[in-house]
Amino acid sequence: MKIALVCSEVIRESGHGRYMLELARRLAPRHDVHVFADLYQAVPGTTFRRVPAPEGVNLIRLVVFWLRATRAIGREPFDVVHTIGGCCARRDVVTAQFVQRAWGAELAALEAADRRARAEGAPPLLVGSPLRRLYHRLYWRIADLFEAPAFAPRPGKRVIAVSARVRDELARWYGVPAAEVAVVHNGVEPAEFAAGVLDPLRAPARAELGLPEGAPALLFIGDFYRKGLGVAIHALGLMKTPGARLVVVGRGEIEAFRAHAARAGVADRVVFVGFQKDVRPYFAAADAFVFPTRYEPFGMVVTEAMAAGLPVVTTRAAGASEVIVAGDSGMVVEDPDDATAFAAALDEVLGDPARRTAMGAAARRAAAAVSWDWVARETERIYEGLMAERHGHE
């Protein structure tokens, strides 16, 4: 098949870009793969067709990329044009990594929670000035103009959702029948997080982080706001497990969260390390992963933590929670703002070392079932079904 993969950033550092990059790697040996992107980490055997888009303001980048990608693809005879959301006008297969209307509704609820948090002296749930927040609202509304036609049902098109949560959001917000959406979770590369890779990193990573010997370490990775760092810090202060530490990797207003940790009485037990390209040393140093996210269509970091053998405590709001068997390979909390429930779940995970080890092993097995190889096979089957349908109509 001659396949076009279309996404502005087909790079490892971007969630949706990582998805396209891993597909390109696995489809290239068997197909003629053309990647239409602005940024691309080259994959042998693929043809890169650069679609330049301006850096800076995401809204402008979105519109310019759509226009230029649509023109670049034109009427070239591709068997399959596969896009992330509405990033160009032509598409045969569309993957929903995010649902703008669902996020818009969640954003309104988050703004209300943010006002309450600020009034109570807690760290902000949203960052930036009122003008910046206005921009966020404008962005999702403009992005929705591109997304709505991309997901609209029509003959000869396939829609992939990265979680059942996303499938249900497509049905609710765009009227896409759930039966017409294939759920294919985002993948993970188990070999990157295998015990043989991580075990040698554990002692030096813990030493660098200043973690006392025997002190259980929790790990949080991600944006401080939408991913719920404030709840993770609050939960640490409520936990009964003695000496537990929280290692924080990601971007946000560190000083605001340091102050929150001080109010929670855990300032000396929270370690901030900032944004890191390679998170494997932090997985190696940790004993469990905490992720109180408020809106997460999937959350690749969850399955990466599982592949690293860490029990995960997250929320139902994370699409990746669908990969977790609660009580077996991790714990799922219903309310992302319930710090008490998070503290209890984390105490349960850390309280019994033998059970924690068993949960970590179960987590590794669960993550292996959603490898990138599996994602590519499932996606290829969708392409083949589309081609068979076309040939049947000829």
Side-chain angles (χ1 to χ4, degrees):
M1 283 181 277
K2 185 177 180 181
I3 300 167
L5 301 179
V6 189
C7 181
S8 62
E9 299 178 348
V10 182
I11 57 176
R12 182 184 177 87
E13 292 77 16
S14 161
H16 55 267
R18 177 76 185 271
Y19 170 88
M20 282 300 201
L21 183 67
E22 299 296 347
L23 281 183
R25 284 174 174 160
R26 287 157 178 79
L27 295 173
R30 298 184 297 279
H31 303 283
D32 180 14
V33 176
H34 297 244
V35 177
F36 291 80
D38 178 26
L39 303 176
Y40 181 45
Q41 292 172 347
V43 172
T46 63
T47 301
F48 175 38
R49 315 275 288 273
R50 184 160 186 258
V51 180
E55 296 182 6
V57 181
N58 287 338
L59 187 56
I60 296 173
R61 183 174 175 81
L62 167 76
V63 175
V64 171
F65 184 85
W66 186 93
L67 292 169
R68 290 177 174 171
T70 298
R71 183 168 60 249
I73 294 171
R75 297 184 178 275
E76 189 170 341
F78 289 103
D79 295 305
V80 175
V81 176
H82 184 171
T83 71
I84 298 291
C87 63
C88 75
R90 183 177 167 192
R91 57 236 160 199
D92 303 303
V93 178
V94 184
T95 295
Q97 290 277 358
F98 206 85
V99 180
Q100 293 294 340
R101 288 185 190 175
W103 168 235
E106 185 63 30
L107 184 59
L110 195 55
E111 286 180 333
D114 179 68
R115 288 191 291 271
R116 291 195 299 272
R118 291 171 189 266
E120 295 167 0
L125 304 179
L126 294 168
V127 65
S129 65
L131 184 61
R132 180 68 177 172
R133 297 185 196 187
L134 177 62
Y135 170 79
H136 283 305
R137 288 195 292 271
L138 178 63
Y139 180 87
W140 84 255
R141 290 183 183 277
I142 298 298
D144 175 63
L145 298 177
F146 295 90
E147 197 169 82
F151 296 134
R154 70 165 171 78
K157 185 173 77 176
R158 298 290 188 273
V159 177
I160 299 172
V162 295
S163 63
R165 173 195 176 100
V166 169
R167 176 200 61 200
D168 295 343
E169 288 176 346
L170 291 173
R172 177 183 178 186
W173 296 103
Y174 292 110
V176 184
E180 296 183 13
V181 178
V183 175
V184 181
H185 292 124
N186 281 328
V188 67
E189 183 53 70
E192 290 184 15
F193 306 96
V197 174
L198 297 187
D199 286 353
L201 303 177
R202 182 172 173 85
R206 287 180 66 91
E208 183 178 339
L209 291 166
L211 300 176
E213 185 176 351
L218 307 173
L219 177 64
F220 172 96
I221 298 177
D223 170 83
F224 293 179
Y225 309 95
R226 180 160 58 91
K227 317 293 186 177
L229 175 57
V231 173
I233 291 173
H234 189 187
L236 180 67
L238 297 174
M239 288 175 61
K240 298 176 182 177
T241 303
R245 265 57 175 180
L246 175 64
V247 177
V248 178
V249 179
R251 293 190 176 99
E253 295 177 359
I254 290 179
E255 291 311 313
F257 286 90
R258 285 193 199 279
H260 180 49
R263 286 191 295 271
V266 294
D268 59 339
R269 293 195 282 129
V270 181
V271 182
F272 292 90
V273 298
F275 173 77
Q276 302 291 326
K277 283 190 174 182
D278 185 3
V279 295
R280 288 178 297 178
Y282 306 100
F283 283 131
D287 299 294
F289 186 74
V290 58
F291 197 63
T293 186
R294 291 176 174 82
Y295 178 78
E296 194 69 43
F298 187 75
M300 291 183 192
V301 71
V302 170
T303 46
E304 289 177 347
M306 295 172 71
L310 296 180
V312 173
V313 181
T314 187
T315 71
R316 190 69 63 190
S321 67
E322 297 163 17
V323 180
I324 296 172
V325 176
D328 176 54
S329 53
M331 307 289 282
V332 180
V333 175
E334 295 297 330
D335 181 357
D337 292 320
D338 191 345
T340 301
F342 267 94
L346 290 165
D347 280 329
E348 185 175 343
V349 167
L350 297 178
D352 182 346
R355 186 182 180 205
R356 184 172 75 232
T357 298
M359 290 182 80
R364 270 203 165 102
R365 291 192 296 272
V370 290
S371 69
W372 286 116
D373 287 341
W374 172 81
V375 172
R377 288 195 300 271
E378 292 298 303
T379 304
E380 200 168 16
R381 288 192 186 102
I382 291 169
Y383 295 169
E384 290 166 352
L386 181 61
M387 296 297 293
E389 179 183 300
R390 286 179 185 165
H391 293 317
H393 292 162
E394 291 178 357

